[in-house]
Structure formats: C-alpha cells, structure tokens
Amino acid sequence: MTAAGAADGGSAVEIAAAVAAGDRSAVEIVDAHLARIAAGDGEIHAFNTVVADRARERAAAVDRAVAAGEPVGPLAGVPVALKDNFCTRGVPTTCSSRILDGWVPPYDATAVERLEAAGAVVVGKTNLDEFAMGSSTENSAFGPTRNPLDVTRVPGGSSGGSAAAVAADFAVLGFGSDTGGSIRQPAALCGVVGLKPTYGAVSRYGLVAFASSLDQIGPFARSVADAALAYDTVAGHDPRDSTSLPDGHRPTVERLTDGVEGLRVGVVSEMTAPELRADRGGAFEPAVIDRCHRAADVLADAGAKVDEVSIPTAVAGLAAYYMIAPAEASSNLARYDGVRYGARQPGANTAAMMTASRTAGFGDEVKRRIMLGTYALSAGYYDAFYGKAQRIRTLMIREFDRVYQQYDVLLSPTSPCVAFPFGAKADPLTMYYNDVCTIPSNLTGHPAISVPFGTGEAGLPVGVQVLGPKLSEGELMRVAAALEAAAAAGGADPTGEDTP
Amino acid sequence: MPDTDDAAPTDRDHLTPEEVAKVARLALLELTDDERSRFATQLDAVLDLADQLDGFELDDVPPTAHPFGLVNVFRRDQPETDAEAAEFRRLALEGGPEVEDGRFKVPPALGEAP
C-alpha cells in the first residue's frame, strides 16, 4: 500500500522535480492517487470529501504551465490531503461535526493558498476527531478512520485522516493541526513524519479555531525531506493572522544534511524513566521507551552529546492543558449557534433554537470540553483551575527556556503506546493521557517533530519525538534526518539488546 | 495513567448532575438525565487532574495567555468599495441556514414564535 514500486511513486521532492522538468505529468500522478483512494478509502475512511474533478483541473493547469515554459512551484503536481478543519473555498469544511452540515467556506486558508501557489494539488479533506478534540478519530461524527497498517486499530488523532492518507499513499503530503499532539501522535501511530511548528510560524488564517493559544498547522510526510519541503512552503509571516510571527521563516530543507555532530541532546527523564514502563507498573509500552533510548544512542554514535535531563513541570502539562484548552474551546465554539453557519434545529425563540442546534450538532467529546471550559472559567472556580493552569504554563516556559540554554534539542517518545484497537480507550481520561508527551510543546509554543523509529507491540511503528526551542525547526530536521537514516539502516530495532 | 479511583482527595466537592445541568445551560446545551450523571462523573475525573497543579510555587508567577506575548495587529483603515462590501455580505450570508433581505434570520428573541 506504499509508494514503493508504484508507477506514480516517489517523494514530494522527486515528483515536483520530475513534473517541473516535464518528465512526468501532474495529471497522471494525481489520477493514480485518486484511483488508490477510490479503491482503498472505502475501508480506511481517511477522507470526508474527495475533490477528484477539482484535483484533475488543478493538475492539468500545472501541466499546461510546464508545457508553456512558465515557472511552477516547489510542490508542482504533488497530491496533498488537508484536514477538514482547513477552510477551502467552494469545498465543504465540516470539522467532522454535524453542526457544520452544509457549510461551504467563502475563502481559502492561507496555508491552502500557499500550497496551491506552490503547485500542490489538493485531493481531498480528511477525517478528524470532531473539532480536533481527540486522539483516535473515534470522535468524528462521520465514523472513525482506520489505520492503514492494521485496520483493527486507530490511526491516532485528531488529524488521523491526514496521517492515514499519507501512510496509505492516498496523498504524498498531508496537513493537519496540532493543539496538544494532533499531528505528532497520529504520525507516530501511522509510521509517518509529523511536525508541529513553532506557534505562529505557520499562518492559522482559515484554520477553524479550537484553542487559539495552542493551535498550530503542520505537515505529514513519508520522509523528513518531504516534511521540510512542505513546512518551508507554508511557513512565513501572514498579516491576516494576528498571531503570525514577524521574525521571518528560517528555511529547513538546506539543514537536512548538516548531521548531528556536536549537537547537545537531552533525553527527558519524565517521559522515559524506568518506572513509566508498563512492565514496572507504569503506563508506557516498554518498547516505546526502549526505542527512545536507542535513538539517543544512535545520535551519540553520530557525534551528538547526549545526556538525561529532568523537566519537573512537564508532569503538570496534562493537567494545565485540560484546564486551558477546554476554556479556550468553550469560547471559540460559542459561535456555532445555528445562526451564521451550518445546521439549525427549530426552536420557539432564539435561545431555544440555539440550544437545540448545539445539542443536536455537537458530539459527546465536544460537549464535555465545552462544559469543562465553561466550568473552569466560571466565577469562583477561575483561579483554582484556569488561573492556576496559566501560571503553571509560565513556569513550564521558564523551565524549558532554561533547559534549552544547555541543550539544542530534547528527545522523548511521541506517544506512550503504538496504535491501539478501536474502543480500547473509551474512558476520556485514559484517552487524554495519550498526549502526555506532546502537550508541553503546545503550552510553551515550541516546535516538535515525530519521526518513525523502529517498532513496538505487534510490529507497529513507534514515533520518537524531537523537541526544540522557538524556531528551531532546522535543528529538528537535522536530528530527524539522522534518526530516519539510522532506522532505514536497521539501527532502530536491535534484537535482544534492550527489552528485558 | 494516574489511577483516578485512588486520586488524592481534593478540597473540591464532587460535581453533581445538577451542577452539570447548570453549566450545560450556560453553554446552551441540553442534557438528558442520563447524560447529566455520566458527564458529572467524567468531568469530575478531569477536574481531579487539577490536583497535579498543586505543589508548585506560584505566588510571584504571572499567568501566560499566549506563548510569545500578543499585540494587536491592525490593517490599514482602507474603505472597501460598495461592490466589495456587497460581495462580502453575499458570501457571509451564503453560510447561514436562514437568510432574509440580506440578513441572518432568527426566531423571536423574546416570547415565542406564533
């Protein structure tokens, strides 16, 4: 089910170069992906909407531009899957929620504009946990996405559809949003690369808001080089997003071959300690922790200076997140009231109509988070929950900033476990714990990448997370590229060495 | 996974179905009796997580609402043309479930529809 050997195969880098040179046709490449979607997505359900005609038209326009000798962008003819919370002009955007039934955005997100300007071809909008709230896509109003590597298991979430689309080669690149791990965790569970950039590095104009101080757009790819190219294409200041960083974008593609010699790498104790292992009473699959230590060894062998580092506030991240994110969500989702967008239920007066529309339109997880946020922000509880969480957030930022004076990057597992079976984490709190390693980067605003590194239970992929300070995406790519190369050479899964 | 059954007791009283109903009303959601009880248990377990926020010295720590600070950004105050304004209005109204005379239409705000 992967690109290997397919006539239309290849990386985004290769496809774009071949299309731009006139050696390959964008239409043929897109058609081959659409055919794979038609054949396979009935089972996987990566997509909510496939835009076959639109994709063929765009691909034909790329081919015409090449034939006419006009310049085409760095992603010419590359099929891309977009999470269905990116606004796309003329194409339904559902957030996998009933409440947006029938709504068609009148504008494109900046990220979509930039991708299409670069010659990328959008093939469809992918499934997600409703409003990006979840870690498995089981909270989608349209049914879950299945993991292409094992269809009895979840692809992770919330951007599970984009991760699955890339893993199944329905698209060469995918895009998602990451509020607490929603790019990195599904990337880990589907065995692909996923980047959560620095907060504000990629414009969120046109991304449906979940928790505005945490949300960030980023790419999925089957290689680190493709992830770097995808990130470089969408990153950079956008005056239409007031949270967009003015600092300017630092290109990452040229950093891929820099190596890790001399790089200072810290392995986060709070996410790798022996007592976290399930075989010692903890909640982490032992193989996940083993792969992370193995990754550290690989980097040390390549000349990096590797050490253990303790970040005590990291353990408070989960709690702080589940006060802050629902609070912001309860405010952001107040706009869905049956007046301006999507589905309306009848009511005798305005309040009754709004209540009926929201009650019918939102699923259980969204209702839980709205209520949690409403409660955490209510008089008498504000200081104990939201206020305290915001102060913890300050402490975390200070602590990570201090650690990054001594380390260039940090290592941790991406997810405590490999892809899990459907229904295995039906209790909300059990599901929330899946984001324990990814949440800190959202609270601090720092970037982090998940790169496949070896396997765990049932031979399923493990993701190792590389974290870095503000705008360190170039360093993350260097490290991820080194780990990718080691894994490809068989260095991630040494036998009989580390698993007791 | 923190074992929620054995979580340290919190000073906070447990969330009751009645409190959940009140929060739901504030959020314009209607819950069945079943949902009130179920959500009360589930939300209570999440609120217990707040115990993990204790034990940090926070007296002189300011709250963070945004990772890198946030300042207002204004576009140039450039009036749009009448044609542009009409087009924006048309596009915005297209998304509404009920529209009349260039406006979103809702049932009466007070009282009840006849």
Side-chain angles (χ1 to χ4, degrees):
Chain A
M1 228 170 178
T2 64
D8 63 308
S11 67
V13 175
E14 290 161 352
I15 288 173
V19 167
D23 295 339
R24 294 169 77 180
S25 142
V27 170
E28 283 175 24
I29 286 163
V30 166
D31 269 337
H33 285 83
L34 291 172
R36 257 196 304 280
I37 294 169
D41 201 43
E43 182 175 30
I44 302 298
H45 186 216
F47 289 94
N48 287 340
T49 308
V50 177
V51 289
D53 292 344
R54 185 179 188 272
R56 288 193 187 95
E57 282 167 28
R58 300 286 170 121
V62 170
D63 285 338
R64 279 196 304 275
V66 171
E70 292 162 15
V72 289
L75 291 177
V78 175
V80 173
L82 300 174
K83 189 176 184 178
D84 204 11
N85 61 352
F86 285 51
C87 285
T88 41
R89 185 174 184 139
V91 178
T93 296
T94 68
C95 296
S96 289
S97 179
R98 296 276 176 216
I99 208 158
L100 280 171
D101 258 357
W103 184 62
V104 179
Y107 68 106
D108 280 321
T110 296
V112 178
E113 277 183 0
R114 290 186 182 180
L115 285 168
E116 294 193 328
V121 179
V122 174
V123 292
K125 306 290 294 293
T126 59
N127 196 21
L128 61 148
D129 288 293
E130 184 176 5
F131 281 102
M133 298 175 187
S135 308
S136 69
T137 74
E138 291 169 292
N139 295 332
S140 167
F142 309 131
T145 297
R146 294 180 188 82
N147 192 318
L149 305 173
D150 178 348
V151 293
T152 67
R153 294 176 187 246
V154 304
S158 67
S159 315
S162 284
V166 171
D169 199 14
F170 294 156
V172 176
L173 297 176
F175 274 82
S177 60
D178 189 314
T179 305
S182 281
I183 292 172
R184 292 160 285 164
Q185 185 258 14
L189 270 49
C190 287
V192 298
V193 178
L195 170 72
K196 197 284 284 187
T198 301
Y199 182 82
V202 177
S203 168
R204 297 177 303 144
Y205 178 77
L207 174 71
V208 177
F210 160 16
S212 303
S213 81
L214 305 162
D215 297 340
Q216 182 56 209
I217 284 174
F220 291 91
R222 290 191 295 269
S223 71
V224 177
D226 277 3
L229 178 62
Y231 168 66
D232 285 355
T233 303
V234 296
H237 182 66
D238 177 15
R240 292 181 294 185
D241 174 0
S242 64
T243 63
S244 171
L245 288 174
D247 315 29
H249 164 60
R250 304 172 192 172
T252 61
V253 166
E254 57 211 43
R255 307 296 304 282
L256 291 165
T257 53
D258 283 1
V260 296
E261 176 99 46
L263 212 63
R264 300 167 302 172
V265 179
V267 180
V268 183
S269 314
E270 284 75 10
M271 303 178 190
T272 52
E275 62 269 22
L276 294 172
R277 301 167 63 100
D279 51 11
R280 301 200 193 167
F284 279 56
E285 190 183 318
V288 167
I289 291 178
D290 290 339
R291 294 292 87 76
C292 188
H293 286 304
R294 178 69 196 158
D297 291 344
V298 160
L299 296 175
D301 288 347
K305 296 174 199 158
V306 180
D307 219 341
E308 292 271 331
V309 59
S310 172
I311 306 180
T313 53
V315 299
L318 190 75
Y321 178 88
Y322 277 99
M323 306 297 133
I324 291 171
E328 295 187 16
S330 70
S331 167
N332 273 326
L333 272 62
R335 74 190 64 178
Y336 305 106
D337 55 10
V339 176
R340 288 163 297 165
Y341 324 91
R344 170 183 292 189
Q345 299 298 322
N349 55 39
T350 305
M353 178 279 287
M354 289 176 170
T355 300
S357 299
R358 288 166 63 82
T359 300
F362 291 134
D364 277 2
E365 182 60 24
V366 173
K367 287 177 181 169
R368 272 192 288 272
R369 304 234 191 161
I370 289 175
M371 290 191 288
L372 200 54
T374 304
Y375 183 82
L377 290 176
S378 59
Y381 297 108
Y382 185 98
D383 287 333
F385 295 107
Y386 185 65
K388 197 184 279 180
Q390 285 189 306
R391 289 173 209 277
I392 295 283
R393 191 174 185 184
T394 308
L395 281 190
M396 281 186 76
I397 292 172
R398 287 178 183 170
E399 196 164 70
F400 272 92
D401 282 347
R402 181 178 54 74
V403 166
Y404 284 132
Q405 287 175 357
Q406 293 166 289
Y407 296 93
D408 298 302
V409 298
L410 303 175
L411 278 191
S412 81
T414 304
S415 159
C417 59
V418 298
F420 47 88
F422 289 101
K425 297 181 191 287
D427 166 54
L429 209 54
T430 309
M431 186 70 87
Y432 295 173
Y433 191 71
N434 231 267
D435 295 335
V436 69
C437 296
T438 47
I439 275 172
S441 304
N442 297 86
L443 289 170
T444 60
H446 297 145
I449 193 168
S450 178
V451 59
F453 195 76
T455 53
E457 191 217 324
L460 289 162
V462 168
V464 166
Q465 182 178 224
V466 189
L467 307 87
K470 184 180 178 184
L471 292 175
S472 66
E473 283 82 357
E475 277 66 40
L476 302 190
M477 294 297 175
R478 287 169 65 187
V479 176
L483 294 177
E484 178 181 55
D493 284 319
T495 47
E497 194 179 287
D498 50 9
T499 304
Chain B
M1 180 72 235
D3 186 346
T4 52
D5 291 329
D6 294 341
T10 160
D11 299 339
R12 186 178 57 82
D13 289 333
H14 286 291
L15 206 57
T16 63
E18 292 69 34
E19 286 173 298
V20 169
K22 184 186 165 199
V23 171
R25 259 198 314 281
L26 291 172
L28 296 181
L29 296 169
E30 203 171 305
L31 304 181
T32 63
D33 289 346
D34 256 14
E35 287 173 329
R36 286 175 197 185
S37 306
R38 183 159 52 86
F39 285 140
T41 310
Q42 291 171 338
L43 297 183
D44 214 46
V46 182
L47 291 171
D48 277 346
L49 281 177
D51 289 349
Q52 296 173 16
L53 301 178
D54 292 337
F56 292 96
E57 184 50 62
L58 296 175
D59 282 352
D60 297 317
V61 180
T64 292
H66 184 275
F68 305 131
L70 187 60
V71 290
N72 277 329
V73 177
F74 301 101
R75 66 171 170 81
R76 284 183 63 200
D77 186 16
Q78 213 167 16
E80 60 210 14
T81 65
D82 287 351
E84 282 169 345
E87 177 64 1
F88 291 151
R89 173 173 283 260
R90 187 187 69 75
L91 289 172
L93 287 167
E94 255 180 12
E98 237 188 304
V99 170
E100 193 176 287
D101 294 338
R103 293 175 176 83
F104 294 116
K105 187 180 178 186
V106 293
L110 300 172
E112 297 199 347

